[in-house]
Amino acid sequence: MVEKKLIPIKAHFFFFMAALGPILPQLQVFGKELGISSVVMGMVTGILPFIYLLAKPLFGIIVDVHRNCRKTIFMGLILIMAVCYGCIIFIPLRTYNIYNVNIEDVIYRCDNVVNTSSTDFIDVDCTSECLTKMEKYQLYLNTYTTSNASLCDTTDENQIGELPCTFRCKESIEIPNEVLLKTASFWFFIILLSVGTIAFNVVNSISDAVCFDVIGDQYDYGKQRIWGSIGYGLTALLSGYAMDNFLINMEGYGPAVCIMLIFATLDLFSCVKLDLPIIPAPENIWKELRHLMKYKVVCIFLIFTIIAGAADGFLTYFLLWYVEDISEQYDLKNVKVLEGSIIAAESLGGEILFFFIGDNILKKLGHVTCFSVCFLCYALRLAVISMVSSPWIIVGVEFFLQGPSYALTYLTIVAYANDIAPSGTSATMQGIAAGLDDGLGYALGSLTGGILYRYIGPRRTFQIFAASSALAGILHYLIHLCFLRKTASPRRYEAEYSCVSQTSNPL
């Protein structure tokens, strides 16, 4: 039997995340289709988290102090998010030509190609039975063979099997940076992406604080948050199917935006019924927080929160980018259905299970063990994704490993941040923890991920992040086992992280 007072918060999580399911995972893919490179996108999404780092605690303090306006602030941010994401549909996408090129004998180096009837070379990405992976070439008109167009190679690195064979080539998506920065579409997209995502992240942080205010010590946070996962997965799958089947242009995002706006409107109605209890305001928020930051166990927690955010940020920003790339290698159709299936598998698989049982796991194992295991699960997840032979395998990987990596990590960070927050500073502490996780951590993952993705390739980048996550999990456990075990004392759970009681030892 569902408690009546919990229905509004469950409804908010469901509708809010359902509004994000169709659009949030696709934002980087949308940028890719505008011609933005992984390096530029990594820089953009790497800068934004620093703004979250400032915005979340700021709005947390505003909500804690001006609690009579909490609902107005909350709903206003949801409206801003929906409007910004909705306006993305007005940005025109580029169209790309597809070329089928028959190569009969050899592919020459481009600097050896002379006397062609065309003065322009077109950068193309090609797949073929003669290639083991997608390769970059330049296409030009050829007057010396029976084929109207031919390919030339700008490097000696492309490995080609036995010819003849047919190459399927698509105009290169990436636009040179000096050209990209002069286009209005790029800046319009960056502004909408920035404002909308800042609003989303702030709402997400405040939602956690509101949830803890509502449930108190009586109910489990994960059992409320699970409804967000359900909504997110369902609408991601629905919009993926709609984009591939209801539009002739496969790059159209109209269905995704329509679904987002519908559920954002429903969320605003659900927030009207949301009861936000008032907690007595503290006398000095900053004094309490400065005192809290003196404890070394808290500092260690926040450092590893950043590392966890880096792994999750890289997956958030570049998983579907990777799916788009390998789908082209395998000439896969219905890519949006695949991407929707991946998001649905993440949300409706292990994520739901771990949001449901995560609180019990935390109580039994403690935050240190859980956090360490989460890093190892991230390592396994990243490593397997880097080795997949078919994009559809990623659906199964995300179904089983999203829960013990993302969901359990999320619960660990949120529960601990709430556990150590001084009275009346729940939203402030949530803002600090979330700002470091999907703020500074996401920035680190996005910046390094974008650069590595461009210059060493996607598979090696996933493997580097896998190795880093494994190392972080081992170090996290050993640091607490060898150096911090005696400094921690429980406050709410039998967990090693709780160190705010008077018996704890500061630095």
Side-chain angles (χ1 to χ4, degrees):
M1 184 67 181
V2 179
E3 290 284 345
K4 186 176 180 180
K5 74 173 186 176
L6 298 179
I7 293 177
I9 190 64
K10 291 178 186 289
H12 164 63
F13 275 131
F14 179 84
F15 291 129
F16 176 63
M17 296 307 296
L20 292 165
I23 202 74
L24 190 63
Q26 297 290 341
L27 290 174
Q28 279 64 44
V29 176
F30 188 93
K32 185 176 188 288
E33 293 174 358
L34 282 176
I36 303 174
S37 70
S38 63
V39 175
V40 174
M41 183 58 72
M43 292 177 62
V44 171
T45 53
I47 293 171
L48 282 178
F50 288 104
I51 303 177
Y52 311 156
L53 196 63
L54 298 174
K56 287 184 176 182
L58 175 63
F59 276 92
I61 292 171
I62 293 174
V63 169
D64 277 326
V65 175
H66 301 284
R67 44 186 35 88
N68 290 335
C69 300
R70 176 182 288 193
K71 186 178 293 187
T72 302
I73 297 171
F74 195 63
M75 295 175 66
L77 289 171
I78 294 173
L79 183 61
I80 291 172
M81 178 199 75
V83 170
C84 288
Y85 286 163
C87 287
I88 286 177
I89 196 175
F90 297 110
I91 302 176
L93 290 172
R94 296 178 65 200
T95 56
Y96 303 95
N97 294 320
I98 303 294
Y99 302 91
N100 291 315
V101 183
N102 296 315
I103 303 296
E104 299 178 356
D105 46 14
V106 65
I107 295 181
Y108 296 99
R109 283 185 55 86
C110 291
D111 51 14
N112 293 331
V113 176
V114 294
N115 297 325
T116 64
S117 59
S118 173
T119 57
D120 294 325
F121 289 82
I122 302 173
D123 293 325
V124 290
D125 299 314
C126 300
T127 58
S128 171
E129 65 273 18
C130 294
L131 302 173
T132 58
K133 61 185 180 70
M134 180 183 295
E135 301 285 6
K136 291 183 178 297
Y137 293 98
Q138 287 192 325
L139 181 141
Y140 66 97
L141 295 179
N142 193 338
T143 59
Y144 295 102
T145 69
T146 57
S147 175
N148 184 43
S150 191
L151 300 174
C152 65
D153 193 356
T154 57
T155 70
D156 294 320
E157 299 177 358
N158 295 340
Q159 300 297 318
I160 304 173
E162 184 177 353
L163 295 171
C165 55
T166 300
F167 287 69
R168 187 176 186 273
C169 302
K170 180 180 180 180
E171 284 186 77
S172 181
I173 291 178
E174 291 185 13
I175 300 176
N177 292 341
E178 61 273 14
V179 177
L180 182 68
L181 295 176
K182 296 178 182 179
T183 62
S185 296
F186 171 76
W187 291 109
F188 190 33
F189 172 70
I190 294 302
I191 292 171
L192 294 177
L193 172 69
S194 302
V195 177
T197 307
I198 290 170
F200 152 65
N201 276 272
V202 174
V203 170
N204 199 37
S205 178
I206 296 176
S207 296
D208 291 331
V210 170
C211 182
F212 278 109
D213 285 350
V214 172
I215 67 176
D217 296 327
Q218 188 176 359
Y219 304 99
D220 289 336
Y221 164 79
K223 293 177 182 178
Q224 319 312 317
R225 182 63 175 75
I226 193 175
W227 289 95
S229 298
I230 295 172
Y232 192 78
L234 289 176
T235 55
L237 183 60
L238 176 63
S239 66
Y241 179 82
M243 282 190 283
D244 267 354
N245 292 278
F246 296 162
L247 289 181
I248 297 176
N249 179 10
M250 291 179 61
E251 296 176 345
Y253 287 80
V257 170
C258 290
I259 294 171
M260 182 272 296
L261 292 175
I262 290 171
F263 281 93
T265 302
L266 293 173
D267 186 34
L268 289 173
F269 282 111
S270 72
C271 289
V272 173
K273 298 294 183 179
L274 194 61
D275 184 20
L276 309 181
I278 296 177
I279 300 176
E283 294 182 1
N284 192 327
I285 289 177
W286 292 111
K287 181 179 179 180
E288 295 285 355
L289 293 177
R290 283 197 301 269
H291 173 73
L292 193 64
M293 294 299 294
K294 293 179 181 179
Y295 294 94
K296 54 187 176 183
V297 182
V298 174
C299 294
I300 293 297
F301 162 76
L302 294 179
I303 289 172
F304 279 91
T305 294
I306 295 172
I307 298 173
D312 190 49
F314 172 68
L315 282 165
T316 298
Y317 292 131
F318 288 103
L319 177 58
L320 295 191
W321 193 298
Y322 174 65
V323 169
E324 292 266 338
D325 284 343
I326 61 175
S327 295
E328 287 187 1
Q329 292 180 27
Y330 293 97
D331 196 19
L332 188 71
K333 306 299 182 183
N334 298 322
V335 178
K336 296 303 179 186
V337 171
L338 169 61
E339 292 170 353
S341 299
I342 290 172
I343 302 302
E346 291 176 346
S347 303
L348 304 178
E351 187 172 314
I352 287 182
L353 174 63
F354 275 82
F355 272 131
F356 190 77
I357 66 174
D359 292 294
N360 292 329
I361 295 175
L362 286 172
K363 291 176 184 178
K364 290 180 180 179
L365 299 181
H367 294 74
V368 168
T369 302
C370 284
F371 213 3
S372 299
V373 170
C374 288
F375 280 112
L376 298 180
C377 290
Y378 266 120
L380 178 62
R381 180 180 169 193
L382 287 158
V384 175
I385 290 174
S386 74
M387 297 182 291
V388 296
S389 58
S390 168
W392 282 100
I393 296 176
I394 298 176
V395 177
V397 175
E398 295 301 279
F399 183 88
F400 289 106
L401 292 179
Q402 170 81 351
S405 55
Y406 167 76
L408 194 56
T409 301
Y410 189 97
L411 284 176
T412 302
I413 293 173
V414 169
Y416 174 59
N418 182 72
D419 208 40
I420 64 175
S423 177
T425 66
S426 175
T428 305
M429 196 62 212
Q430 292 293 341
I432 292 174
L436 291 175
D437 176 24
D438 51 23
L440 194 57
Y442 269 45
L444 180 63
S446 179
L447 284 170
T448 58
I451 294 172
L452 291 173
Y453 195 102
R454 176 67 177 83
Y455 292 107
I456 70 171
R459 294 187 185 272
R460 289 184 180 178
T461 302
F462 273 86
Q463 290 164 3
I464 288 175
F465 272 87
S468 301
S469 298
L471 180 61
I474 295 170
L475 285 176
H476 179 263
Y477 188 79
L478 290 178
I479 288 172
H480 281 271
L481 183 66
C482 300
F483 302 107
L484 299 179
R485 196 169 187 176
K486 295 182 179 180
T487 66
S489 60
R491 178 188 177 189
R492 183 166 301 177
Y493 297 127
E494 292 291 325
E496 296 92 331
Y497 276 144
S498 300
C499 60
V500 295
S501 64
Q502 295 180 355
T503 60
S504 298
N505 297 321
L507 290 169

